[in-house]
Amino acid sequence: REEEFLSVGNRAMRKSRRYLEEARLPEGVSAVKGGAFADCRRLYRVSLSETCGVGVGTEAFRGCIRLHEVLPFAGIVSIGERAFFGCTMLREIPMGEQLRAVGAYAFAHCASLEEAVLPSRVSSVGKGAFSDCTELIRFRAEEGITALAPELLRGCISLCEVTLPEGLAEIP
């Protein structure tokens, strides 16, 4: 009998964190809950379904130091606090138009991240979301975004290009 698989639970992979290298989440998964894959130090790739919106919970992938690919990132609708904190090998995050919220410190300390683009429908960006991304070269917030969080790009020492929308009410 086939059962519906809707989410990956809180700290679901904690006993597999030393061995897990790749995760393929089937169609129908709508949430990766808090700490689900936290500290899976060998995890290098996560594959999501292309057709449904997925919420990534607080610290879902925190400390996955070898994680370099989450595909397709376009299916993610929300990213919780510290969701990818310390994923030092994560190089790109092609956020899709479905994305609505990015939590505090969501991508902090992602040392290999080179570019970040916030899609126009993002209505909430948490404090320090991209802080200490030391290899971040380009940051763009698309038209439609009206507010950015404090310390958003703190410690991004390689930043060369920042593009902000005309409608931005305040730069904290």
Side-chain angles (χ1 to χ4, degrees), residues 2-160:
E2 204 171 294
E3 293 184 27
E4 239 176 86
F5 182 42
L6 300 175
S7 68
V8 179
N10 293 328
R11 299 176 49 195
M13 299 298 154
R14 73 176 177 272
K15 295 200 183 216
S16 301
R17 68 180 180 212
R18 283 193 253 170
Y19 313 105
L20 187 64
E21 294 182 357
E22 185 173 0
R24 292 183 190 152
L25 305 181
E27 185 123 3
V29 171
S30 60
V32 178
K33 295 189 176 181
F37 293 92
D39 297 317
C40 287
R41 299 196 182 279
R42 294 182 136 206
L43 184 66
Y44 68 91
R45 180 183 298 131
V46 175
S47 301
L48 305 170
S49 168
E50 290 187 43
T51 57
C52 65
V54 176
V56 177
T58 299
E59 298 186 354
F61 296 97
R62 176 193 43 84
C64 293
I65 58 175
R66 289 195 177 126
L67 183 64
H68 69 271
E69 224 173 23
V70 180
L71 299 171
F73 223 97
I76 296 176
V77 295
S78 65
I79 300 169
E81 292 184 9
R82 298 176 308 280
F84 293 93
F85 185 98
C87 292
T88 56
M89 299 291 285
L90 193 60
R91 296 186 73 94
E92 62 178 314
I93 48 169
M95 297 183 212
E97 286 301 315
Q98 293 185 48
L99 187 65
R100 302 292 183 267
V102 177
Y105 305 101
F107 296 98
H109 296 276
C110 289
S112 298
L113 191 61
E114 296 177 351
E115 181 176 19
V117 178
L118 290 176
S120 61
R121 293 185 180 173
V122 171
S123 59
S124 171
V125 181
K127 179 179 180 179
F130 297 96
S131 62
D132 298 306
C133 292
T134 54
E135 295 299 314
L136 190 66
I137 298 168
R138 286 178 295 286
F139 174 82
R140 184 173 84 231
E142 293 184 348
E143 290 298 325
I145 293 177
T146 57
L148 295 175
E151 301 179 26
L152 180 71
L153 301 168
R154 179 189 45 114
C156 295
I157 58 175
S158 299
L159 200 56
C160 294

